[in-house]
Amino acid sequence: MNRAGLVSITFRNKTPREIVALMKRAGLSQVEWGGDVHVKPGAESAAEVRRMTEGEGLRTSAYGSYYRLEENAFGPWLDEAEALGAPVIRVWAGRKGSAEVDEWERETLVHTLNDCVRQAAERNIVVSLEYHPNTLTDSRDSVRRLMRESETSFHWQPRWDWPEEERLAALKEVVPRLTCVHTFTWRHEGKGIVRLPLSDGAEMWNQVPASAANAPMLLEFVENDSDEALLRDAAWLRAMLEK
């Protein structure tokens, strides 16, 4: 299986058809369609995007929803994931970091999470929390606790503000429930972020495929948002996965 793919929000300025065409050029096989631009709830575009994706021999590996656990209306996001044929729906674990929520808030969020997992399972869809700052997945301790509190799965992505050893340890901890790896290389400069060629993170990325089982590795946040950067990073990613 070709594990290399793309997160569609990498190119919010492109249409789904343009994204599919670029993926074909880049030799990518899987896509996570984003719910903020490309497949919005209620826009009735999911079925068309699914036909186009599958018609080009590509696979929708996930639906990247922007649902957060404290919100009520999970159903419309699930409708889109189902219409897309997505086996996984990505959600966010609230709007606060794990150290900022009290026990009552956490219990409420986890209750909502478990309800989402139940609703999704009824449609044969897996709920996957994105490993993200300023949510309950912002620390290894909190993620380990979530694994005890729920049956949720996880979208992992590297925290480039953490040491490499910490990043890789975080990945290995969620492997039993890993659905996806968001793949990019960043450098933090003060409060800003500089996007780099994927290969600049080779020391870490070369260790990821073996740790990530068979999870899709989806490119995101390419340098300068350019087609050329995607083609370059896709070639490097495919070569790494073929080793």
Side-chain angles (χ1 to χ4, degrees):
M1 179 181 70
N2 182 353
R3 294 164 61 187
L6 179 69
V7 183
S8 78
I9 61 93
T10 303
F11 295 102
R12 286 188 170 98
N13 62 329
K14 293 185 185 295
T15 66
R17 188 167 297 280
E18 289 171 331
I19 287 171
V20 165
L22 182 57
M23 287 181 63
K24 296 283 284 186
R25 287 178 60 199
L28 302 174
S29 68
Q30 306 194 41
V31 58
E32 177 182 309
W33 288 111
D36 60 341
V37 174
H38 299 123
V39 185
K40 294 181 180 180
E44 300 184 358
S45 61
E48 179 183 350
V49 171
R50 178 179 184 175
R51 284 192 296 271
M52 180 176 55
T53 303
E54 295 176 355
E56 291 294 334
L58 305 178
R59 175 177 179 266
T60 297
S61 56
Y63 177 49
S65 86
Y66 283 83
Y67 173 81
R68 291 180 184 261
L69 290 179
E70 73 271 27
E71 298 168 357
N72 295 320
F74 186 50
W77 295 106
L78 272 179
D79 291 343
E80 298 304 315
E82 188 171 37
L84 267 176
V88 174
I89 182 169
R90 183 201 72 197
V91 304
W92 284 23
R95 296 179 184 275
K96 295 181 182 178
S98 57
E100 299 176 58
V101 298
D102 60 29
E103 284 300 309
W104 181 87
E105 288 177 296
R106 185 180 182 103
E107 183 177 331
T108 301
L109 290 170
V110 169
H111 176 80
T112 301
L113 173 60
N114 285 324
D115 187 54
C116 289
V117 169
R118 177 190 57 78
Q119 290 182 58
E122 290 173 355
R123 308 199 200 193
N124 294 315
I125 297 171
V126 172
V127 169
S128 187
L129 293 181
E130 183 164 9
Y131 213 105
H132 205 279
N134 303 313
T135 71
L136 291 185
T137 59
D138 65 351
S139 77
R140 290 173 60 197
D141 284 345
S142 183
V143 168
R144 285 193 295 263
R145 184 173 170 183
L146 283 168
M147 293 180 77
R148 297 192 298 271
E149 294 168 326
S150 74
E151 296 299 319
T152 192
S153 295
F154 295 90
H155 265 50
W156 180 83
Q157 57 189 10
R159 287 285 302 269
W160 288 101
D161 53 339
W162 290 3
E164 180 180 305
E165 182 179 348
E166 189 84 354
R167 282 179 246 137
L168 291 171
L171 169 60
K172 290 176 181 177
E173 287 169 351
V174 298
V175 163
R177 302 193 198 173
L178 182 67
T179 54
C180 176
V181 173
H182 281 179
T183 309
F184 56 88
T185 299
W186 278 357
R187 181 176 68 245
H188 287 260
E189 291 187 355
K191 295 183 178 180
I193 291 169
V194 178
R195 298 181 184 182
L196 302 169
L198 188 64
S199 59
D200 281 15
E203 184 174 346
M204 185 199 75
W205 285 119
N206 280 321
Q207 301 178 66
V208 168
S211 299
N214 291 315
M217 295 185 64
L218 308 182
L219 292 164
E220 189 177 27
F221 304 127
V222 297
E223 191 177 21
N224 299 321
D225 297 324
S226 74
D227 293 9
E228 292 73 19
L230 176 73
L231 295 172
R232 176 199 65 207
D233 287 354
W236 190 86
L237 175 61
R238 288 188 291 104
M240 180 188 71
L241 290 172
E242 290 168 3
K243 290 179 181 177

